Amino acid sequence: MDRVYIYVVSLGCAKNRIDTEHMLGLLANSNAAITSEPSEADVIIVNTCGFIGDAKEESIDTILEMSGFGAKLVVTGCLSQRYAGELVSELPEVDAFLGVSSYSKINEAISAVLEERKYMCIDRIDGDLVDRVLTTPSHLAYVRIADGCSNRCSYCAIPQIRGDLKSRDKSSILKELKDLRDGGIKEAVLIAQDTTMYGTDTGKPMLPELIDEAAEIMQDGWLRILYCYPEGITDEIIDAMLKHDNVCKYMDIPMQHFSDGVLKRMNRRNTLRSSKRIVNKLHKKGFVLRTSLIVGFPGETQRDFEIMMECVEELRFERLGVFRYSSEDGTPAKSMKNKVPREVKKERYQKVMARQEGISQQLCEQKIGKVMRVIVDGVDEETGITIGRTMGQAPQIDGITYISTKDVLTPGTFADVLISKAYEYDLLGEIE
C-alpha cells in the first residue's frame, strides 16, 4: 500500500497527550507518515476531550474545522467514548470513532476508512500500551501511573468515560521511566486522575514506594507528581517526596471549593478544616502548591463564594485555576436544583482570578534576589529569550522563567539563575 499521510490534533489534558503518543507509536510501525499540514493529509485524527462543556465545544469545533480539508476523519478520545452513538448521526463527516481504551485499533480504523468503510470501536480493550512517540520537548515526558477514577465527585464524568481506577503495574511504569531516561529525558511527570490513589485498587497504596524507585531512576533529572487529591496526601507521600532532592517540591491539589456545604454536595471528602490543614502543612515544608476551584456549583450561595475568596486570600496558593461549573450528562450534579446564573458564575470567576493575579505577583516578587535551579526548555519564539522552569513551575500549566544570558543553553540542561524581576506569573533572571 502507498504511504498514508496523517495529521493529528490532540486536545485536552496531559493524559490525552499520552493517548495521542501511543497512537503515534502504533502508526510509526505502519506505512503511515505524520504531516504537519492538514491540507496534505490522507487521514486526519482528532483526539478529543469531553470533560466539561468548553472542552466539548472545542472538540466539536475542531472536528468541523478538520472536516473541511477533504481527508478521511477519525475521531478518538473522551468525546467518542461518551457520545459515539449520538455523534454518528450528528457528524456524518466523521469516518471512524475510537474510544479511550481502543487506541490499539487505530491502524485497523485507518485501513477501514481508506477502503471507504465506516468504523467504530469504543470497547475497553487496551492493556498497557508500549509503543509511543513523544510530542513533548525531547527532555520532558509524562508517565501515566493509573487510569480511571473511583472518587465519584458529583460533577465529574471521568468514571463514565474512563471507568474506575486501574493502577498500572509498578514494574511496567519503572521500565517505561528507565527507557525514557535512557532516551534523554531529564524531567518525568507522573500523572493519573488521582495519583494519591495509586495502588489502592490492588489493595495497597503504592505511591510512596513508586516515588522512591522512580527518583532513583531520575537521579540526575527531575521527577514531578501531579493531580493529588487533598485527602489522599499522606505523611508517607510527603516524606517520600522530601527524601529525594530531585523530586519537585510541588503539588497540584484540586480543592474545588472550601465551603463545607458545597463540598458535601460535590461528594468530596475534603472539608474547609482539612483543606486548610494540608495546605498549611505543605507550605511549611516548602512545597509550591497549585489548585483548581469551581465557581457556580448548584446551590452555591454568596456566603459560599465569600468563604472561597477568604481561603484564596488566606492560603495564598502559588498557582490557581478556576472553572465555571459545567453541567455534565449522567452526573448527580446535573439534576441538582438552585442553578447559579451564567452571569453570576462569570462574575465570580473574574473576582477569583483578579485576586489570584495579585497574590501570584506578590509571591513572584518574593523570589527576587534568590538563586533558583531552572531546567532549560529552549528559546521563546516571540522574544528570542531563553526560557526555563523552576521546580515550582510545572510544564504547560504554570508560568516560566526567562533567562538573560549570552550563552546558548541546551534544552534539558540545568542552570542556577539569579532572579532579578517578577511578573504576574513569570520570572526573569540571569545565570549566576
Side-chain angles (χ1 to χ4, degrees), residues 264-388:
K264 185 176 181 179
R265 292 197 300 279
M266 287 180 166
N267 198 33
R268 301 280 293 181
R269 298 193 302 276
N270 56 309
T271 63
L272 172 62
R273 184 177 179 182
S274 69
S275 298
K276 286 185 176 184
R277 183 172 61 245
I278 192 62
V279 170
N280 289 327
K281 182 176 187 176
L282 290 168
H283 269 156
K284 286 179 181 177
K285 292 181 179 291
F287 280 81
V288 171
L289 302 181
R290 160 176 278 278
T291 196
S292 57
L293 302 173
I294 297 174
V295 294
F297 190 78
E300 181 189 62
T301 64
Q302 180 60 29
R303 180 55 192 149
D304 292 328
F305 177 67
E306 288 169 0
I307 291 171
M308 177 186 288
M309 288 293 289
E310 289 165 3
C311 289
V312 168
E313 182 71 44
E314 176 187 341
L315 298 176
R316 300 176 70 78
F317 289 91
E318 287 84 356
R319 326 277 180 232
L320 187 149
V322 184
F323 294 94
R324 284 166 280 192
Y325 169 72
S326 171
S327 181
E328 296 302 311
D329 294 335
T331 62
K334 185 177 177 66
S335 60
M336 290 183 181
K337 298 179 180 180
N338 299 319
K339 297 291 193 292
V340 177
R342 179 179 300 180
E343 58 273 18
V344 175
K345 287 192 283 188
K346 181 179 179 181
E347 179 185 357
R348 290 175 179 175
Y349 167 86
Q350 291 172 337
K351 285 183 177 179
V352 178
M353 290 307 298
R355 186 64 201 100
Q356 178 60 27
E357 183 177 296
I359 292 170
S360 179
Q361 172 90 50
Q362 292 165 9
L363 294 174
C364 284
E365 287 173 352
Q366 293 176 10
K367 304 292 190 296
I368 294 174
K370 294 184 178 179
V371 176
M372 307 197 72
R373 190 76 166 162
V374 169
I375 189 168
V376 177
D377 281 332
V379 175
D380 182 74
E381 293 181 359
E382 293 184 5
T383 64
I385 299 175
T386 301
I387 57 174

Side-chain angles (χ1 to χ4, degrees), residues 126-152:
D126 285 345
D128 193 6
L129 293 177
V130 176
D131 297 306
R132 186 175 174 191
V133 174
L134 296 182
T135 60
T136 48
S138 60
H139 59 281
L140 168 71
Y142 295 94
V143 177
R144 178 161 45 205
I145 65 173
D147 203 2
C149 186
S150 301
N151 284 332
R152 295 299 189 272

Side-chain angles (χ1 to χ4, degrees), residues 199-245:
T200 56
D201 55 314
T202 62
K204 176 189 174 185
M206 294 174 60
L207 185 59
E209 64 184 78
L210 177 62
I211 291 171
D212 281 337
E213 296 182 55
E216 287 300 314
I217 294 172
M218 295 298 299
Q219 56 186 306
D220 61 344
W222 281 356
L223 182 71
R224 188 182 297 276
I225 295 93
L226 294 186
Y227 313 131
C228 299
Y229 193 101
E231 294 302 284
I233 301 172
T234 62
D235 287 341
E236 290 77 14
I237 292 173
I238 296 171
D239 291 344
M241 295 180 72
L242 290 174
K243 187 191 308 181
H244 304 278
D245 291 340

Side-chain angles (χ1 to χ4, degrees), residues 18-203:
I18 291 176
D19 292 334
T20 297
E21 292 175 346
H22 282 305
M23 281 193 288
L24 290 172
L26 293 167
L27 292 169
N29 295 322
S30 69
N31 65 326
I34 304 301
T35 177
S36 59
E37 296 294 334
S39 58
E40 298 175 354
D42 301 302
V43 178
I44 294 176
I45 300 171
V46 181
N47 194 17
T48 61
C49 178
F51 180 45
I52 59 175
D54 288 346
K56 288 185 285 188
E57 186 176 332
E58 181 188 18
S59 293
I60 295 295
D61 289 346
T62 302
I63 292 168
L64 294 175
E65 179 188 356
M66 292 298 109
S67 70
F69 288 98
K72 297 297 183 182
L73 191 55
V74 178
V75 173
T76 66
C78 295
L79 199 70
S80 290
Q81 190 70 45
R82 287 189 79 183
Y83 300 111
E86 301 167 39
L87 295 177
V88 167
S89 58
E90 293 179 6
L91 292 172
E93 302 92 340
V94 178
D95 299 287
F97 291 96
L98 291 180
V100 296
S101 296
S102 49
Y103 294 111
S104 60
K105 297 291 187 179
I106 187 63
N107 284 309
E108 186 176 309
I110 288 173
S111 295
V113 301
L114 290 174
E115 294 170 1
E116 304 297 332
R117 292 185 287 117
K118 294 283 188 177
Y119 187 94
M120 178 186 289
C121 181
I122 57 172
D123 298 330
R124 300 189 184 279
I125 55 177
D126 285 345
D128 193 6
L129 293 177
V130 176
D131 297 306
R132 186 175 174 191
V133 174
L134 296 182
T135 60
T136 48
S138 60
H139 59 281
L140 168 71
Y142 295 94
V143 177
R144 178 161 45 205
I145 65 173
D147 203 2
C149 186
S150 301
N151 284 332
R152 295 299 189 272
C153 301
S154 67
Y155 51 82
C156 184
I158 291 298
Q160 299 173 40
I161 299 171
R162 293 188 174 269
D164 288 334
L165 173 74
K166 186 176 181 181
S167 299
R168 280 181 66 186
D169 184 76
K170 187 179 68 171
S171 62
S172 171
I173 297 169
L174 296 175
K175 181 183 183 305
E176 182 178 15
L177 265 175
K178 187 176 186 307
D179 290 344
L180 289 167
R181 182 66 199 90
D182 291 345
I185 291 301
K186 290 295 185 70
E187 182 177 3
V189 186
L190 304 186
I191 60 172
Q193 297 301 141
D194 176 1
T195 53
T196 63
M197 296 299 288
Y198 173 67
T200 56
D201 55 314
T202 62

Side-chain angles (χ1 to χ4, degrees), residues 381-399:
E381 293 181 359
E382 293 184 5
T383 64
I385 299 175
T386 301
I387 57 174
R389 290 173 293 104
T390 67
M391 273 194 171
Q393 294 172 321
Q396 299 181 310
I397 55 175
D398 292 334

